[in-house]
Amino acid sequence: GAGNLQGVALTSAAFNKVLGGDGHSVQFLLMLCLVFFAFTTILGWDYYSEKCLEYLTNGNKIVEKVFRWVYILAVFIGPYFTISQVWTIADITNGLMAIPNCISLLVLSGVAAKETKAYFDKYPVL
C-alpha cells in the first residue's frame, strides 16, 4: 500500500492508481504539471511583487530594476537549496509579512470599527 509513501512518491502512486497506465506516462504527466505550476507561480509572484514595489516606491525604476535582478538571481539559486531550507525561508518571509499587517490593523482599527458600526446600523442583524 501507500502507507509508507510520502511527498512525490505518494502523489505519483495516487495518480498511477487513478489514471492507470504505466508509471512512466503518469510521471511524465506529473512532471509536466509541476513545470507549468512552477513557471506560472514564478511569473505570478514576480508580477505581484513588482506591482507592490512600484506602489511602495512611487514607481522608482532603479529599485524595480534591482528587485528584478535579485528575483532572477533567486530563481536560479533556489533549486540548489534543500526542500527544508526552502520551507524555512518561505515560513520566515510569510511570518515577516505579519509585521506590516499587524501595524496596519492597529493604525486602522478605529476606521474598521467605525465602518463596521455604520454597516450594521444600516443592515441590522436579524
Side-chain angles (χ1 to χ4, degrees):
N4 296 330
L5 297 178
Q6 293 182 348
V8 175
L10 180 61
T11 304
S12 183
F15 270 74
N16 220 5
K17 183 169 179 81
V18 172
L19 297 178
D22 62 355
H24 295 293
S25 60
V26 171
Q27 287 177 350
F28 179 77
L29 175 66
L30 284 174
M31 185 246 350
L32 197 60
C33 290
L34 182 61
V35 165
F36 285 127
F37 175 74
F39 183 67
T40 56
T41 299
I42 289 168
L43 291 178
W45 277 109
D46 176 56
Y47 180 78
Y48 177 72
S49 302
E50 280 193 28
K51 288 301 169 187
C52 291
L53 190 64
E54 180 182 323
Y55 174 78
L56 291 172
T57 63
N58 291 322
N60 186 327
K61 297 297 180 193
I62 295 170
V63 173
E64 288 180 36
K65 190 165 280 214
V66 169
F67 174 79
R68 282 184 188 148
W69 282 108
V70 169
Y71 195 87
I72 290 167
L73 183 65
V75 167
F76 283 105
I77 292 174
Y80 296 103
F81 287 104
T82 65
I83 292 295
S84 176
Q85 291 169 326
V86 169
W87 280 113
T88 299
I89 292 168
D91 289 343
I92 290 169
T93 54
N94 280 318
L96 289 173
M97 284 192 293
I99 294 169
N101 281 299
C102 288
I103 292 169
S104 299
L105 282 172
L106 289 173
V107 170
L108 296 173
S109 62
V111 174
K114 181 180 141 196
E115 291 298 323
T116 302
K117 183 180 180 329
Y119 176 84
F120 283 116
D121 286 347
K122 187 174 181 178
Y123 303 106
V125 179
L126 297 176

